[in-house]
Amino acid sequence: MNIGKMLVAMAMVLILSPFNVLASENPMLVRIDLTGEMDIVNLRGIDIDIQVVKADYAEAVVYPSDLEKLRSRGLSYAIIYEDLVAFYRSRNPLALDMGGFPTLSEAIDIMDSLAATYPAIVSAKWSIGSSWEGRDLWVFKISDNVNVDEDEPEVFYNSLIHAREPAGMTWILHFAGWLCENYTSDSVASYIVDNRELFFLPVFNPDGYEYNRLTNPGGGGMWRKNRRPGDGVDLNRNWGYMWGYDNYGSSPDPWSETYRGPAPFSEPETDTVRQFIVSRDFDFVINAHTYGEYLLYPWGYDYFYTPDQDFFYMVGDSGSTLTGYAHGTAWELLYQTNGDANDWCYGEQVEKPLIFAIAPESGNSYDGFWPLPSRIPEINAEMLPFGIYIAQLAGVIMGLHFDYPAGVPHTLIPAQQTSFDVTVSGVRGGEPVWGTGQLHYSVDGGPYVTIAMAENQPNEYTATLPALNCGSVIDFYITAEEVTVGTVSDPPDAPATTYSATPVTGTVETFNDNFENNLGWTTEIIGATSGYWERGVPVNDPNWDYDPVTDGDGSGSCYLTQNQMGNTDVDNGAVRLTSPVFDLSDGGIIEYYYYLYLTNTTNGVDILLVEINNNGGIGTWTEISRHDTNGSLDWRHHTITGADLSLAGVTPTFNMVIRFTANDADPQSIVEAGIDGVIVTKYECDQPDQIPTLSEWGMLILALLLLAAGTIAIIRKRILALKDSAK
Ligand code: 0X9
Ligand code: ZN
Ligand code: CA
Ligand code: CA
């Protein structure tokens, strides 16, 4: 080829290339080292296509021109596959269509054949709207009486919102097929089909999926977004809840892989699915993605948990058991995302009620987007229990909420019964059964006694604790019945965790430190090279996001692990903060605020350990709490009760000391801690026993028995005497 022809050819390439120059480069897979402490922070600052984040590395799909971004941030990386598409293609030597995954038209055929084979339980597919290029978004339904809209819990399973994630489609189709094939023969499949309404959208982004077939008919295509003319939009950044919240969770740049589009729901695909979701009444939406072995739930948009974190955690935990995947919010496990489907499903509550949304990322990091064909059935099998679990759970998410208008008593008047009000209401569609409220209590570690609570109004009760003497402790919990799920307790894991109370004649705040003055705390460095405890008003460095913005109790000052500008966290060891002596000899509680930001939460390696000593700091220290979950940039409040102390085997004395140790066991992670508002409330109880104790009762009963026996003996003698005289 002569120079002239070459120039013409190059010009053609440039003109024909529909996007920016990146499109002509090969995507590669890199593994980025995260063992340097600032690596995770630096990685969050760049817009690259991250797939998995593990404790000490991340994997991302990058173009040659992205490598400079990594280098400029001081991140080191290894190239795993220089030509990722070629690698994916090499896994498909038989040149199967789309690497063994159904093509768009094959997916449509599967829907048609399911409906034809199982017409009693599978609906004919219908189009809920169409894509940029005019392709239909096909949905089908599985249920008994499938053409009737029955009053049954509903779940929506959708996949291929990202065009290169076909393993999401195969597992939801496989789950649908499993229900059909096992209906009537398997009790679980039958139960689900008879009692739920399941809706499936296997190809959310048909244009993107077809585009991948066009460029890579044998699979391996790396297109992610839709096909909006120009550069396409990431359909999982285009939803209208917290859309464009910041530029970390989505991008304003059209060429970015996470381009959020010009406006919320600007894309026909997202707008169509939004209207479909609003038209139904889903308990759960499963947004199937690949890959990385995660189960992700909201929020994605910032470092917060939803008000339903406990519920999501419970579902995630069960999901983990079933799949082996890690569960958590997107920011905990991967990165922030804004404008995504999960956040809209849960967060948007004007057009529709909140919906529990979960995004499973199926397949491991070796599977990638285009797994070996032989892995497709394996991924289907590993996701099946999760699909089943969510379908079952949809009908039984109902819970109860227990409310205590005047609080739950921690202290009691000696020798007097204590009553408190309990209001029971339904959450997540739950319905309390009237008259089922019960109080369960155990005195001084004795067996549990169950008594009905007095019901004043439907679901409004008064619980009454028995009279106790000074020195006794009562543990208690509440239960009530929910119509569908049965008995619900508060605390939820009772009797493992309970409320407890003790008789008190007075309380005295014997210690109250808001850290405005030096009350005699001491600090120690145990191997750490930075992040030493310091008292002061938080400096709040705008460039170091991991310290608290304010103190915990609102007075201004607190203790922090190094309160200076810049990277100031604990490294290479531990730092310890020890209190002055306080008095708990008559019982009482210890309260404190703590702040904890951790980037490594695996196996509790990085922790804030709280220990207690009852001998002025000399001798044994006992662990009393261990904080090892990320606090989502918030202060949290913690109370140590008398029951906690007795559980830990610590006898309260007048010579108590508490200490807080922030430990960086993994020196490459961030550990930022704070302590504030430490209050010790001492209980006093100085009233002689008025209620007979158990042994006293015993004596009394014995005395009565003796008395009765004596009386009987006398009566008997008299009768005998009368009989004698009658002779
Ligand atoms: O980034 C995404 O859209 C999803 N990951 S993927 O690699 N398949 O692109 C994750 C979305 C998770 N979102 C929330 N948990 N909110
Ligand atoms: Zn995805
Ligand atoms: Ca303070
Ligand atoms: Ca710090």
Side-chain angles (χ1 to χ4, degrees):
M1 194 190 274
N2 68 36
I3 301 265
K5 275 188 183 163
M6 250 172 78
L7 285 175
V8 171
M10 276 170 64
M12 294 260 299
V13 167
L14 290 178
I15 292 162
L16 292 179
S17 169
F19 311 115
N20 48 67
V21 64
L22 297 185
S24 65
E25 299 179 333
N26 287 328
M28 49 175 87
L29 189 73
V30 294
R31 178 171 289 202
I32 303 157
D33 184 272
L34 295 183
T35 56
E37 186 204 3
M38 294 303 288
D39 291 347
I40 185 83
V41 178
N42 284 323
L43 185 62
R44 282 183 176 147
I46 29 177
D47 180 12
I48 58 161
D49 193 359
I50 298 164
Q51 298 310 319
V52 301
V53 181
K54 301 285 169 189
D56 48 8
Y57 70 89
E59 281 178 13
V61 176
V62 298
Y63 291 86
S65 57
D66 286 327
L67 296 178
E68 181 45 34
K69 288 194 213 165
L70 293 169
R71 282 194 293 266
S72 70
R73 294 255 175 173
L75 292 162
S76 51
Y77 57 83
I79 296 173
I80 302 180
Y81 302 117
E82 183 128 28
D83 184 341
L84 186 54
V85 175
F87 165 70
Y88 285 143
R89 238 188 269 124
S90 74
R91 292 174 153 189
N92 180 18
L94 299 179
L96 303 169
D97 279 354
M98 293 304 255
F101 288 97
T103 62
L104 173 62
S105 77
E106 287 165 352
I108 292 169
D109 290 347
I110 291 171
M111 296 188 233
D112 288 339
S113 82
L114 278 178
T117 317
Y118 304 99
I121 59 168
V122 182
S123 76
K125 70 177 190 302
W126 74 95
S127 173
I128 57 168
S130 55
S131 65
W132 263 103
E133 294 176 352
R135 294 187 176 86
D136 286 306
L137 271 62
W138 295 111
V139 164
F140 67 98
K141 173 185 169 189
I142 295 186
S143 191
D144 65 336
N145 307 314
V146 67
N147 297 314
V148 182
D149 185 7
E150 295 187 298
D151 186 17
E152 292 166 334
E154 299 179 3
V155 183
F156 179 40
Y157 298 83
N158 71 83
S159 50
L160 273 174
I161 190 173
H162 287 142
R164 60 189 180 183
E165 301 175 5
M169 164 180 66
T170 37
W171 85 253
I172 75 166
L173 284 175
H174 171 259
F175 167 52
W178 179 85
L179 290 169
C180 296
E181 282 164 22
N182 293 283
Y183 183 57
T184 71
S185 64
D186 178 281
S187 62
V188 173
S190 304
Y191 184 84
I192 291 171
V193 172
D194 287 341
N195 297 284
R196 303 286 182 269
E197 294 192 321
L198 309 183
F199 295 77
F200 296 83
L201 168 61
V203 189
F204 191 125
N205 176 9
D207 297 352
Y209 194 49
E210 274 298 88
Y211 179 71
N212 275 329
R213 190 170 68 94
L214 188 76
T215 59
N216 297 81
M222 286 297 291
W223 191 257
R224 164 183 170 97
K225 300 187 277 183
N226 76 348
R227 294 295 295 165
R228 163 186 273 265
D231 298 286
V233 168
D234 183 349
L235 294 175
N236 208 31
R237 299 294 183 279
N238 188 240
W239 298 68
Y241 187 80
M242 296 292 166
W243 179 88
Y245 176 78
D246 63 22
N247 293 344
Y248 292 109
S250 68
S251 173
D253 300 329
W255 53 87
S256 166
E257 288 289 28
T258 55
Y259 175 45
R260 57 181 167 250
F265 296 114
S266 56
E267 305 310 291
E269 297 88 353
T270 45
D271 198 48
T272 293
V273 179
R274 163 218 201 165
Q275 287 179 39
F276 174 66
I277 293 175
V278 168
S279 77
R280 306 283 342 163
D281 184 18
F282 294 119
D283 279 357
F284 281 96
V285 170
I286 298 303
N287 298 304
H289 289 256
T290 73
Y291 61 98
E293 306 192 316
Y294 301 113
L295 302 172
L296 304 172
Y297 42 76
W299 299 114
Y301 77 95
D302 206 345
Y303 295 84
F304 306 131
Y305 293 117
T306 66
D308 285 298
Q309 170 65 12
D310 288 353
F311 180 68
F312 275 120
Y313 192 96
M314 186 280 286
V315 179
D317 205 34
S318 308
S320 277
T321 307
L322 296 170
T323 57
Y325 292 5
H327 71 96
T329 62
W331 57 263
E332 280 177 304
L333 297 175
L334 284 171
Y335 42 69
Q336 282 159 267
T337 58
N338 59 53
D340 84 347
N342 262 8
D343 281 10
W344 180 84
C345 286
Y346 179 80
E348 201 294 322
Q349 293 174 25
V350 179
E351 294 191 291
K352 55 155 188 57
L354 74 80
I355 300 171
F356 294 101
I358 298 179
E361 301 263 6
S362 304
N364 59 39
S365 64
Y366 182 66
D367 290 325
F369 293 116
W370 300 93
L372 279 167
S374 62
R375 281 282 295 151
I376 300 171
E378 291 176 13
I379 295 170
N380 292 345
E382 116 190 337
M383 291 306 295
L384 179 65
F386 181 75
I388 294 171
Y389 170 59
I390 295 297
Q392 288 176 313
L393 193 61
V396 291
I397 61 176
M398 308 80 175
L400 295 180
H401 176 72
F402 296 82
D403 196 45
Y404 306 95
V408 178
H410 290 295
T411 61
L412 312 169
I413 299 173
Q416 213 171 293
Q417 293 185 335
T418 304
S419 293
F420 60 100
D421 289 340
V422 183
T423 306
V424 185
S425 54
V427 289
R428 301 188 296 272
E431 219 183 289
V433 182
W434 296 358
T436 58
Q438 290 185 320
L439 168 71
H440 310 256
Y441 66 81
S442 148
V443 176
D444 296 329
Y448 270 94
V449 175
T450 296
I451 53 170
M453 299 189 288
E455 192 175 35
N456 318 314
Q457 300 272 329
N459 302 315
E460 288 181 17
Y461 299 93
T462 300
T464 303
L465 298 172
L468 298 176
N469 289 319
C470 286
S472 274
V473 176
I474 185 167
D475 293 329
F476 59 96
Y477 63 95
I478 305 293
T479 59
E481 300 292 310
E482 196 282 329
V483 171
T484 310
V485 298
T487 308
V488 182
S489 332
D490 184 57
D493 59 344
T497 308
T498 60
Y499 294 106
S500 68
T502 186
V504 162
T505 50
T507 63
V508 191
E509 239 179 44
T510 54
F511 187 80
N512 185 341
D513 198 347
N514 58 11
F515 295 113
E516 293 310 311
N517 299 301
N518 179 359
L519 296 192
W521 292 71
T522 54
T523 61
E524 251 176 283
I525 299 159
I526 306 155
T529 52
S530 64
Y532 310 147
W533 286 106
E534 283 181 319
R535 189 172 61 83
V537 177
V539 294
N540 190 19
D541 179 353
N543 297 315
W544 179 251
D545 282 346
Y546 309 106
D547 278 327
V549 175
T550 61
D551 77 335
D553 65 1
S555 73
S557 292
C558 58
Y559 258 105
L560 291 179
T561 51
Q562 199 177 340
N563 185 29
Q564 279 154 41
M565 303 296 270
N567 174 3
T568 60
D569 76 313
V570 184
D571 283 327
N572 302 307
V575 292
R576 179 172 289 161
L577 176 67
T578 306
S579 78
V581 165
F582 54 90
D583 181 3
L584 274 183
S585 50
D586 294 312
I589 56 168
I590 308 162
E591 293 166 274
Y592 57 86
Y593 287 91
Y594 71 101
Y595 173 92
L596 189 59
Y597 185 85
L598 300 175
T599 50
N600 187 353
T601 53
T602 42
N603 309 324
V605 287
D606 291 344
I607 54 169
L608 177 63
L609 185 68
V610 186
E611 295 164 297
I612 203 141
N613 169 286
N614 62 5
N615 189 30
I618 299 158
T620 316
W621 287 87
T622 306
E623 175 175 332
I624 193 73
S625 21
R626 171 184 290 252
H627 305 298
D628 59 5
T629 57
N630 199 346
S632 134
L633 304 178
D634 280 331
W635 284 90
R636 288 174 280 181
H637 187 254
H638 189 78
T639 305
I640 299 169
T641 63
D644 296 333
L645 290 173
S646 76
L647 219 66
V650 178
T651 312
T653 66
F654 62 93
N655 219 3
M656 306 297 292
V657 186
I658 189 167
R659 71 184 187 191
F660 300 89
T661 308
N663 186 48
D664 179 45
D666 166 4
Q668 272 64 52
S669 56
I670 296 171
V671 177
E672 285 285 10
I675 294 293
D676 200 10
V678 180
I679 298 179
V680 177
T681 307
K682 170 182 150 177
Y683 295 149
E684 292 180 334
C685 200
D686 47 17
Q687 190 166 307
D689 287 1
Q690 294 183 0
I691 311 156
T693 59
L694 211 63
S695 54
E696 286 165 353
W697 275 119
M699 301 278 277
L700 201 66
I701 291 167
L702 194 66
L704 287 173
L705 282 175
L706 289 172
L707 205 66
T711 316
I712 289 166
I714 292 166
I715 293 173
R716 223 174 139 244
K717 265 190 198 152
R718 287 225 182 116
I719 292 173
L720 289 176
L722 282 173
K723 276 186 182 165
D724 274 348
S725 60
K727 275 188 188 158

